[in-house]
Amino acid sequence: MFKMKSGKILNGPLLFLLGPALILCMVFVAWRVGQQPDDSHSAEDFFSLPSDNISRVDLEYYVHVLSGAQMGGRESGRDSGQQATRFLLAQYKSSGLKGFFNGAFEQKFSFPAGIKQGQDSHAWYGTDVASLASEPAKIDVIPVGFAAPSFGEGPLVFGGYCVSAPARGFDELARINVYGKIVLCLRYGPGGKKGEFEDAISFRSKYEALKRRGAAGVIFLRRPDTPPVQAAMFSGSSEVGPPSVIAEPDFFYDNVEWLADEDSDDTDARAYSAHLGEQIGWIRIHMDYETEQLEGINIGASLKGTFKPGQSDGKKWIVVGAHYDHLGLGEFGSLDGPGEIHNGADDNASGTAAVLEVAHSLKKLYAANPGLIPDPYDVVFLHFDAEERGLFGSEHLVSSEYFSGSNVVAMLNLDMVGMLREGKGLQMQGAQ
């Protein structure tokens, strides 16, 4: 995806130089990532820049390195992300370009990287309050950090999917009293992950609905056919609220004879369970975790090195950017779950490669003809870290002393440019 944020329209030599160069980069990157673009248009149809300035070999090399197994998925703040940082720094330090951050190429920042499970995250179950006190069964759980670490105890009741979507005519929680109770919630909702209640089936949506109704705690039940859930997927909170955890289904299937049938794909999308609100035991849950902070690094360079703190008035920047991080081993944000390297060739080694190649190309062209980019203009190349974690790198940069909106003429943000899908082509956002 090709995103453009602009207060003005680029014109003259800058548009002629940047636009076609970026388009050709995207075509070459798409070729490398795997889907051949339409060959009915040649490079000459797009522009007449010297062919050796935008190199297919260079782009292939960048994508190959950044998405290779040895890079480990480029997770922000981890060893794999630091490898990607070192690679980008090496490219820029040998390029002849100027470091954007007052002469330096890197900008460090810290960001929240999910939560780490504490040793005391457990649940204890009994068929009634007496058995919970005398011989409880211990259950391993994963903390869901929507509230501060806390403790809860009470009767365990079945909440079905715990979906509350009154505007669509389906509200399980309106049919039961959850006040002061621990509620067991099935995963997703009627109709599955892609059913008609998609906006009400997230962990967060269910938790907030139960919190408003005074529930003493929440146990989310993982379905056997879904990827494992990791504590790192949740950001943590300092707010007071009922504890919430995720548990594997086997224990509850074994102790509640009808539960496995309720948790099947055959459930009618509009049917309320006959067991809704039924008490199925007594439970104590302890949600224990610590938040984790990691260090990310933005990379920035420019053609002219015009930025100096307090001396950037009147400068006009065209920013070409892309995030360079990805999902690592998939412990957060993965559709397939953790364990395997998420290479991220398209998202976003492709955009990163395009920015690198445009930076090197413009450096050559500007050195040969400085009149191509007249004062007060400069072209800035930015690589953001921790985008997958929540846009932390870009947010840090725009709130820092190194950024002023009054200096930016336009930003060209390259994200997932490696897949030119048939019938869709190049998507441009924010360029109306």
Side-chain angles (χ1 to χ4, degrees), residues 91-113:
Q91 306 311 306
Y92 280 111
K93 287 179 178 179
S94 63
S95 68
L97 293 161
K98 310 295 185 182
F100 177 67
F101 305 109
N102 198 22
F105 289 99
E106 56 190 294
Q107 180 193 40
K108 297 181 179 180
F109 61 94
S110 64
F111 64 93

Side-chain angles (χ1 to χ4, degrees), residues 282-335:
W282 203 275
I283 202 156
R284 180 189 309 125
I285 57 177
H286 192 185
M287 180 179 67
D288 179 33
Y289 68 83
E290 296 179 353
T291 57
E292 185 175 19
Q293 291 286 126
L294 293 176
E295 181 181 79
I297 300 178
N298 292 326
I299 306 296
S302 73
L303 281 176
K304 301 180 180 180
T306 54
F307 182 85
K308 293 181 180 179
Q311 300 180 35
S312 59
D313 291 347
K315 303 299 182 182
K316 297 299 180 184
W317 300 328
I318 294 90
V319 181
V320 184
H323 78 90
Y324 69 95
D325 61 299
H326 195 53
L327 303 181
L329 297 179
E331 292 187 355
F332 70 96
S334 171
L335 298 177

Side-chain angles (χ1 to χ4, degrees), residues 25-217:
C25 271
M26 291 178 226
V27 172
F28 282 170
V29 170
W31 172 84
R32 171 62 183 91
V33 171
Q35 182 169 346
Q36 286 281 5
D38 184 357
D39 288 331
S40 62
H41 296 284
S42 67
E44 287 72 26
D45 293 326
F46 291 109
F47 64 97
S48 58
L49 294 178
S51 61
D52 59 352
N53 282 301
I54 299 294
S55 166
R56 178 185 298 222
V57 174
D58 289 349
L59 289 162
E60 181 176 3
Y61 169 70
Y62 295 145
V63 174
H64 178 78
V65 172
L66 289 167
S67 62
Q70 76 286 347
M71 198 61 74
R74 308 189 308 278
E75 182 180 350
S76 306
R78 308 292 187 190
D79 290 343
S80 59
Q82 292 164 5
Q83 285 190 74
T85 301
R86 289 193 293 270
F87 175 76
L88 291 176
L89 286 174
Q91 306 311 306
Y92 280 111
K93 287 179 178 179
S94 63
S95 68
L97 293 161
K98 310 295 185 182
F100 177 67
F101 305 109
N102 198 22
F105 289 99
E106 56 190 294
Q107 180 193 40
K108 297 181 179 180
F109 61 94
S110 64
F111 64 93
I115 60 178
K116 295 175 65 175
Q117 180 167 337
Q119 295 183 350
D120 293 330
S121 264
H122 296 290
W124 291 266
Y125 173 86
T127 54
D128 53 32
V129 66
S131 64
L132 179 65
S134 61
E135 47 182 359
K138 186 177 180 180
I139 306 168
D140 292 330
V141 296
I142 302 293
V144 178
F146 295 147
S150 59
F151 168 91
E153 180 178 334
L156 179 65
V157 299
F158 180 60
Y161 293 105
C162 299
V163 166
S164 179
R168 299 190 182 184
F170 187 83
D171 193 345
E172 290 171 299
L173 301 184
R175 304 172 71 89
I176 59 177
N177 177 16
V178 301
Y179 187 85
K181 300 172 183 177
I182 311 293
V183 185
L184 183 71
C185 299
L186 303 179
R187 190 72 172 97
Y188 302 129
K193 185 177 181 179
K194 298 296 183 180
E196 61 179 311
F197 309 108
E198 188 173 355
D199 57 347
I201 65 175
S202 69
F203 292 125
R204 170 68 77 175
S205 295
K206 295 178 181 182
Y207 177 83
E208 293 297 339
L210 288 163
K211 179 181 177 180
R212 289 194 298 270
R213 290 167 171 81

Side-chain angles (χ1 to χ4, degrees), residues 126-417:
T127 54
D128 53 32
V129 66
S131 64
L132 179 65
S134 61
E135 47 182 359
K138 186 177 180 180
I139 306 168
D140 292 330
V141 296
I142 302 293
V144 178
F146 295 147
S150 59
F151 168 91
E153 180 178 334
L156 179 65
V157 299
F158 180 60
Y161 293 105
C162 299
V163 166
S164 179
R168 299 190 182 184
F170 187 83
D171 193 345
E172 290 171 299
L173 301 184
R175 304 172 71 89
I176 59 177
N177 177 16
V178 301
Y179 187 85
K181 300 172 183 177
I182 311 293
V183 185
L184 183 71
C185 299
L186 303 179
R187 190 72 172 97
Y188 302 129
K193 185 177 181 179
K194 298 296 183 180
E196 61 179 311
F197 309 108
E198 188 173 355
D199 57 347
I201 65 175
S202 69
F203 292 125
R204 170 68 77 175
S205 295
K206 295 178 181 182
Y207 177 83
E208 293 297 339
L210 288 163
K211 179 181 177 180
R212 289 194 298 270
R213 290 167 171 81
V218 186
I219 295 181
F220 297 106
L221 203 64
R222 189 181 78 85
R223 286 186 63 115
D225 57 349
T226 59
V229 177
Q230 306 292 318
M233 296 178 180
F234 304 97
S235 59
S237 174
S238 60
E239 295 184 3
V240 175
S244 54
V245 296
I246 295 172
E248 293 294 318
D250 294 346
F251 175 86
F252 292 96
Y253 286 174
D254 292 341
N255 285 274
V256 183
E257 60 181 12
W258 46 263
L259 186 58
D261 290 335
E262 291 287 324
D263 199 14
S264 70
D265 288 329
D266 300 325
T267 304
D268 188 295
R270 286 281 176 176
Y272 290 105
S273 169
H275 299 284
L276 196 62
E278 184 174 326
Q279 183 170 328
I280 54 178
W282 203 275
I283 202 156
R284 180 189 309 125
I285 57 177
H286 192 185
M287 180 179 67
D288 179 33
Y289 68 83
E290 296 179 353
T291 57
E292 185 175 19
Q293 291 286 126
L294 293 176
E295 181 181 79
I297 300 178
N298 292 326
I299 306 296
S302 73
L303 281 176
K304 301 180 180 180
T306 54
F307 182 85
K308 293 181 180 179
Q311 300 180 35
S312 59
D313 291 347
K315 303 299 182 182
K316 297 299 180 184
W317 300 328
I318 294 90
V319 181
V320 184
H323 78 90
Y324 69 95
D325 61 299
H326 195 53
L327 303 181
L329 297 179
E331 292 187 355
F332 70 96
S334 171
L335 298 177
D336 299 321
E340 300 292 333
I341 293 175
H342 289 56
N343 303 88
D346 187 28
D347 186 12
N348 191 27
S350 62
T352 303
V355 174
L356 276 170
E357 188 63 6
V358 169
H360 287 297
S361 174
L362 290 183
K363 175 65 175 68
K364 295 177 186 177
L365 292 170
Y366 178 70
N369 182 9
L372 282 174
I373 305 176
D375 288 334
Y377 293 98
D378 194 1
V379 183
V380 177
F381 307 98
L382 294 174
H383 299 267
F384 302 110
D385 201 2
E387 188 268 357
E388 299 288 1
R389 285 285 191 177
L391 305 177
F392 291 115
S394 54
E395 287 183 353
H396 179 79
L397 184 135
V398 299
S399 63
S400 73
E401 63 176 339
Y402 297 104
F403 180 86
S404 171
S406 63
N407 294 116
V408 178
V409 175
M411 178 178 181
L412 307 170
N413 183 51
L414 281 74
D415 194 16
M416 299 175 67
V417 300

